[in-house]
Amino acid sequence: MKRREFMKAAGLGVAASGVAMPAIAQSTPTINWRLQSSYPTSLDTIYGACKVLSQAVAEATDNKFKIQVFAAGEIMPPLSIVDGVQNGTVEMGHTGSYFYIGKDPSFAFGTGIPFGPNTRQQQAWFYHGGGNDLLNEFYATYKLYHLPLGGTGTQMGGWFRKEIKSKADLAGLKMRIGGLAGNVLQRLGLVPTQLAAGDIYTSLERGTLDAAEFVGPFDDEKLGLAKIAPYYYYPGFWEGAASLSLFVNLDKWNELPPGYKSVLNTAAGYAAADMLAKYDAQNPAALRRLVANGAQLRAFPQDLLQESYKAATGLYAEMGANNQTFKKILDHQMAFRNQVYPWTQISDFSYDSLMLLAMRQN
């Protein structure tokens, strides 16, 4: 099915015998919005979700609703998306919600938290567990409306100049890392910093960073991180589900006709599914290329993982005691995760173990 046909069927309904024409046929104003991403065009999968969204919305509305997409830095700094959408500089922004934990740690939940749900669990929480509704109660206090727009799956643990043999090796290490993971690893002695994608390579090259995490093999290869920091660690326990956010100025969202809201909702879901599928298709080959070219693939040591979990648990307790919104969202998400986890263990984990055994025997 062509994208245009899919969008019209999924988002608007199809006129048929005995079925009323959709609302958009009665209310089709011409609207031109601007959307800036936090990501450069070179990262075509993560930035590309915005282009997929824009094209889908235009096709479904016969070009009545147009969204012009801008890459990182073209209108505002890449990590200033929330401010730009709030104040109306742009109507929409695509970014990682967790970049804005400096405003409120509750922003972390739009992307993911250390030892939080995996990708499928988080998607279930967003769409069928009440998660996105709960997030939008919070985001409304910042004049934002939130739609999930893409995800990377579980990310890698990042690139390090030296081998990490125990938690002690994190002491004094300067690392680019996003969201609450920096707060967690700071408790193990790491020195965290948040940087936009375009600044990571030069910071490693100049020695102002000792390590950096970004997404996974496909994007990390594009950034060239293996050239400077050869040790590639997994898993990215702080991003079991790294979701991306489409933030819409709340006033602008409320002004949209219902049909256009439906189109935007459907287009965001389509673009999100497309992004995750692209990463799942592209990461395996990229990882093989990286290893073939000298990247040293390593698993994080067990003591580091155990201490990180303890640090995360302590951090959440402290944040929850000081921030009722954070506690409300955390308790809601963890209750949902704990409810669905047994099914994940029975289905996905057991199947993955079976497949691994079968592949080893062959």
Side-chain angles (χ1 to χ4, degrees), residues 66 117 155 165 168 183 219 234 261 268 280 302 318 358:
K66 293 183 179 180
Q155 295 193 359
K165 297 180 180 179
N183 302 67
D219 283 346
Y234 67 90
K261 288 180 180 178
D280 284 342
Q302 192 64 32
E318 292 174 18

Side-chain angles (χ1 to χ4, degrees), residues 20-29 257 259:
M21 289 294 288
I24 194 169
Q26 303 162 27
S27 179
T28 55

